[in-house]
Amino acid sequence: MRQTQQIQQLLKRNQLSVTDSRLRILELFFQQDGALAHADIEKKSGAGFDRVTIYRTLQTFVDKGIIHTIPTADNAVRYALCKDDCTQGHHQDHHVHFVCERCSTTICLEDVEVPAIRLPEGYTASHAEVVVNGVCRNCSQ
Amino acid sequence: MRQTQQIQQLLKRNQLSVTDSRLRILELFFQQDGALAHADIEKKSGAGFDRVTIYRTLQTFVDKGIIHTIPTADNAVRYALCKDDCTQGHHQDHHVHFVCERCSTTICLEDVEVPAIRLPEGYTASHAEVVVNGVCRNCSQ
DNA sequence: GTAACTGCAAAATATTTGCATCCTT
DNA sequence: AAGGATGCAAATATTTTGCAGTTAC
């Protein structure tokens, strides 16, 4: 299978050994555009592996810059794939996140830039997160 | 005391009975510009009242539109006072939130508007959240 | 073979719920 | 007095940690 090879290379590029759980969790991310929360992965993976492994795998991926967290106002942190310009420990996902109010999926809008924001005197910005709520393409039909 | 009266009126205006914990929690919010997480309140309140009361009080305030949640990428939901244009169940905090990387306080920048964001075809926005990370005025000296 | 990864058990935290009691109006 | 709010206990849920066994390289 083509995709599996891609994923394996992604892992190797990040000096991570290729294991079953890592492959499967990354597959989930590649299979869908949206973001995934810990709970989603637990469900979708078919209870194949341990809860703890999911926590640790997600943390590893964040550390390596493979995925990034998306801020939310409810208590559920979501994760999404980073584009290639994220390096270890330094995420640069300068794109907008979209949360659909109907289907409640979270999507990265890679093409939408985060606009520059004018801050008051004395404030220095290093990084901005934008989360837009609304109705997504699928649900607005 | 002046402020206490203000807070009492705020509660009455929202058809909430004036109780000790509600007064004290609202005082905390008024005393500082920044946002507060559940844990902060627990500490700052001097362990005066129950954990559970804090949960319930915060939820009540959110429902009534007195405070709003601020999205974060770590697992800690923070709350901040709403301005007057928030009505019950319908928050309209169209301002930018700022998280300082040094002192890690979260501040509402009321004067900074959320810029309009151009979404791709098919997407409809109803509400956007912007969280800027950087160094705040106090810490940049 | 060795270092890294996983699963299990258990601890530590965080959040929710039920109910009896107390307080506000 | 009546309804709502609180505290306590306990049930759930979530996240972290330690360690022994397993797997990738």
Side-chain angles (χ1 to χ4, degrees):
Chain A
M1 194 200 281
R2 196 68 200 286
Q3 198 183 54
T4 309
Q5 301 220 342
Q6 274 190 328
I7 294 175
Q8 290 190 355
Q9 291 190 0
L10 178 56
L11 287 172
K12 282 176 185 160
R13 207 185 315 143
N14 286 283
Q15 294 119 39
L16 293 174
S17 46
V18 178
T19 67
D20 207 46
S21 43
R22 285 177 182 166
L23 284 174
R24 284 214 272 158
I25 289 178
L26 275 183
E27 260 170 37
L28 287 179
F29 278 108
F30 276 102
Q31 271 166 25
Q32 62 153 256
D33 238 17
L36 294 170
H38 178 278
D40 297 327
I41 295 169
E42 211 175 322
K43 276 178 224 143
K44 298 213 179 189
S45 71
F49 28 69
D50 203 89
R51 209 180 186 55
V52 178
T53 300
I54 300 176
Y55 281 113
R56 288 195 272 224
T57 304
L58 289 174
Q59 190 54 56
T60 303
F61 288 171
V62 171
D63 291 345
K64 291 290 186 179
I66 299 174
I67 59 177
H68 61 268
T69 58
I70 300 174
T72 52
D74 58 353
N75 255 322
V77 177
R78 289 189 184 76
Y79 302 86
L81 284 173
C82 288
K83 293 300 152 185
D84 320 81
D85 54 358
C86 283
T87 56
Q88 183 162 350
H90 190 74
H91 292 279
Q92 290 182 295
D93 42 310
H94 286 302
H95 59 266
V96 168
H97 294 115
F98 187 90
V99 180
C100 179
E101 288 162 350
R102 303 243 176 102
C103 62
S104 73
T105 52
T106 302
I107 305 168
C108 296
L109 299 176
E110 304 287 351
D111 300 332
V112 181
E113 283 273 319
V114 173
I117 290 159
R118 254 189 165 290
L119 294 177
E121 190 96 26
Y123 290 89
T124 319
S126 71
H127 175 83
E129 290 276 0
V130 177
V131 181
V132 179
N133 297 273
V135 182
C136 77
R137 186 159 16 200
N138 284 334
C139 291
S140 65
Q141 288 164 0
Chain B
M1 193 201 281
R2 196 69 200 286
Q3 200 182 55
T4 309
Q5 300 220 341
Q6 274 190 328
I7 293 175
Q8 289 191 355
Q9 291 190 359
L10 178 56
L11 288 171
K12 282 177 185 159
R13 206 184 317 142
N14 286 282
Q15 295 118 40
L16 293 174
S17 45
V18 178
T19 67
D20 207 46
S21 43
R22 284 176 182 166
L23 284 174
R24 284 215 272 157
I25 290 178
L26 275 184
E27 259 170 37
L28 287 179
F29 278 108
F30 275 103
Q31 269 165 26
Q32 62 153 258
D33 238 17
L36 294 170
H38 179 277
D40 298 325
I41 295 169
E42 210 175 324
K43 277 178 224 142
K44 298 213 179 190
S45 70
F49 28 68
D50 203 90
R51 213 182 184 53
V52 177
T53 301
I54 300 175
Y55 282 114
R56 287 195 273 224
T57 304
L58 288 174
Q59 190 54 56
T60 303
F61 288 169
V62 171
D63 291 344
K64 289 291 186 179
I66 298 174
I67 60 177
H68 62 269
T69 58
I70 300 174
T72 52
D74 59 352
N75 256 320
V77 177
R78 290 189 184 75
Y79 302 87
L81 284 173
C82 288
K83 292 299 153 186
D84 320 81
D85 54 358
C86 283
T87 55
Q88 184 163 350
H90 191 73
H91 293 280
Q92 291 182 295
D93 42 311
H94 286 303
H95 59 266
V96 169
H97 293 115
F98 187 89
V99 180
C100 180
E101 287 162 351
R102 302 244 176 99
C103 62
S104 74
T105 51
T106 303
I107 304 167
C108 296
L109 298 177
E110 304 287 351
D111 300 331
V112 181
E113 283 273 319
V114 173
I117 290 159
R118 253 190 166 291
L119 294 176
E121 191 95 26
Y123 290 89
T124 319
S126 72
H127 175 83
E129 289 277 1
V130 178
V131 181
V132 179
N133 297 273
V135 183
C136 77
R137 186 160 14 200
N138 284 336
C139 291
S140 65
Q141 286 163 2

